[in-house]
Amino acid sequence: MAAELSTTININEPRWDQSTFVGRAKHFFTVTDPRNVLLTNEQLSQAHRIITDYKGVVSPGLTEDELWRAKYVFDSAFHPDTGEKMILIGRMSAQVPMNMTITGCMMTFYTTPAVLFWQWINQSFNAIVNYTNRSGDAPITVQLGAAYVSATTGAVATALGLNALTKHVSPLIGRFVPFAAVAAANCINIPLMRQELKHGIPITDENDNRLGESTKAAQQAISQVVVSRILMASPGMIPPFLMNHLEKKAFLKKFPWMSAPIQVSLVGFLVFATPLCCALFPQKSISVSRLEPELQQKIRASHPGVERVYFNKGL
């Protein structure tokens, strides 16, 4: 008869050591697994039930591997701070298929109408992702609408401006315009869409006791997310060289409609770039001495032994 699963496994933390890049990479390869997009509501509910029950009762016959699988299914669909089920295309597991499609099309179609359309699609998608993966429990406000309009305007202006500048140079250079536009939009969209810079990120001690909200922690979190997102889009730098070569061949001259599917397929590097870039920075930790002075005083008065605090950086 199999021994009952221990109740001492800490499923509030990832399975692998998050102080190392390798541990974080293993974690995010699981979190961003595109196969999680195909999970049914019944499978999500089952994972939710296993994780909720495990805090008090171990499901009969449950193994450790099944518990961790349930945890990652649960984490892929439910927000870590609010517990709400996230919109499907906003989940990190949808990042690879969605970005492959959008990035491939942005690099294939770059006439003025196409730039307007695909940058709008991209920023609409980014707005959903940024809000879905925000840290803390900030509500929807008018500022989110302003962020969406600002990011879309910035991306379109960057793309159209660079398109105009590259009309008289090699077509290869023009293919890099979408990457520059996406990078510019991320610098606008993420800080505005995630309102922690205004309200602060909830911070806790190691026992998950809430100690307050910190804008300093928010600045660290958002700057790291911006860097990760720009690097995440970097596979878009590779297909232009390949496509520039392929379009001179007889196959694409005979079947030009194949250009878009091939371009989308080439952006498949995102399968690796997405989790690896998410893993660049530790998810949640900051020294008390780096917080705003008034919050430092509050923490040292109420929790004198606390030297590090924790938060959800968001993705």
Side-chain angles (χ1 to χ4, degrees):
M1 195 172 174
E4 187 175 280
L5 183 64
S6 169
T7 57
T8 60
I9 299 171
N10 184 8
I11 57 170
N12 293 321
E13 296 295 330
R15 189 173 190 174
W16 298 279
D17 181 5
Q18 297 299 283
S19 66
T20 68
F21 174 77
V22 171
R24 294 194 297 273
K26 288 180 178 179
H27 169 68
F28 283 112
F29 266 107
T30 307
V31 170
T32 63
D33 187 343
R35 292 173 297 179
N36 287 339
V37 173
L38 304 176
L39 295 173
T40 65
N41 285 329
E42 183 180 351
Q43 289 172 306
L44 296 178
S45 297
Q46 182 182 12
H48 189 287
R49 185 169 56 254
I50 289 173
I51 296 304
T52 303
D53 288 350
Y54 181 75
K55 296 175 182 178
V57 180
V58 177
S59 302
L62 184 69
T63 67
E64 184 173 346
D65 284 341
E66 288 171 342
L67 175 65
W68 282 113
R69 171 59 183 160
K71 173 196 165 45
Y72 278 106
V73 168
F74 176 85
D75 287 351
S76 75
F78 297 91
H79 192 277
D81 293 322
T82 66
E84 66 185 7
K85 184 184 288 186
M86 297 181 286
I87 186 171
L88 182 62
I89 64 171
R91 300 173 193 171
M92 290 308 292
S93 53
Q95 280 281 294
V96 171
M98 290 296 295
N99 274 324
M100 279 180 64
T101 302
I102 294 172
T103 303
C105 289
M106 283 196 299
M107 291 192 302
T108 303
F109 310 110
Y110 43 93
T111 62
T112 297
V115 167
L116 291 170
F117 177 75
W118 285 108
Q119 289 295 339
W120 169 66
I121 290 292
N122 187 50
Q123 291 313 310
S124 298
F125 171 64
N126 283 344
I128 293 171
V129 171
N130 291 336
Y131 181 74
T132 302
N133 294 280
R134 70 199 184 281
S135 61
D137 46 14
I140 295 177
T141 68
V142 174
Q143 185 179 349
L144 297 185
Y148 171 70
V149 173
S150 299
T152 304
T153 302
V156 170
T158 301
L160 291 178
L162 291 176
N163 266 353
L165 291 174
T166 57
K167 279 183 179 178
H168 304 295
V169 296
S170 167
L172 175 61
I173 296 176
R175 291 184 183 275
F176 290 103
V177 167
F179 176 78
V182 167
N186 275 326
C187 293
I188 301 169
N189 192 317
I190 295 172
L192 288 176
M193 204 72 191
R194 293 177 47 174
Q195 301 178 70
E196 297 98 311
L197 289 176
K198 179 180 179 182
H199 301 292
I201 287 181
I203 59 171
T204 67
D205 63 15
E206 60 182 2
N207 297 315
D208 210 30
N209 297 311
R210 190 160 175 167
L211 304 177
E213 292 76 35
S214 172
T215 55
K216 289 283 189 181
Q219 291 170 12
Q220 172 182 305
I222 289 176
S223 62
Q224 290 177 349
V225 170
V226 169
V227 172
S228 294
R229 290 287 191 85
I230 292 174
L231 292 176
M232 202 180 290
S234 61
M237 300 289 284
I238 300 171
F241 293 104
L242 298 176
M243 289 304 298
N244 196 55
H245 174 72
L246 291 175
E247 286 182 348
K248 296 176 182 177
K249 301 298 181 181
F251 178 77
L252 281 182
K253 287 182 178 179
K254 185 176 181 179
F255 303 104
W257 58 271
M258 283 295 296
S259 180
I262 292 174
Q263 192 108 246
V264 169
S265 300
L266 290 174
V267 187
F269 291 106
L270 286 167
V271 170
F272 303 100
T274 299
L276 292 177
C277 290
C278 284
L280 285 176
F281 304 102
Q283 188 65 5
K284 51 176 187 178
S285 178
I286 190 172
S287 171
V288 171
S289 62
R290 294 183 58 191
L291 301 175
E292 40 269 69
E294 61 274 16
L295 186 54
Q296 290 184 42
Q297 293 175 7
K298 175 184 174 183
I299 292 173
R300 285 175 175 146
S302 58
H303 299 77
V306 174
E307 294 299 328
R308 294 197 72 79
V309 292
Y310 303 88
F311 56 92
N312 172 28
K313 176 171 68 69
L315 298 172

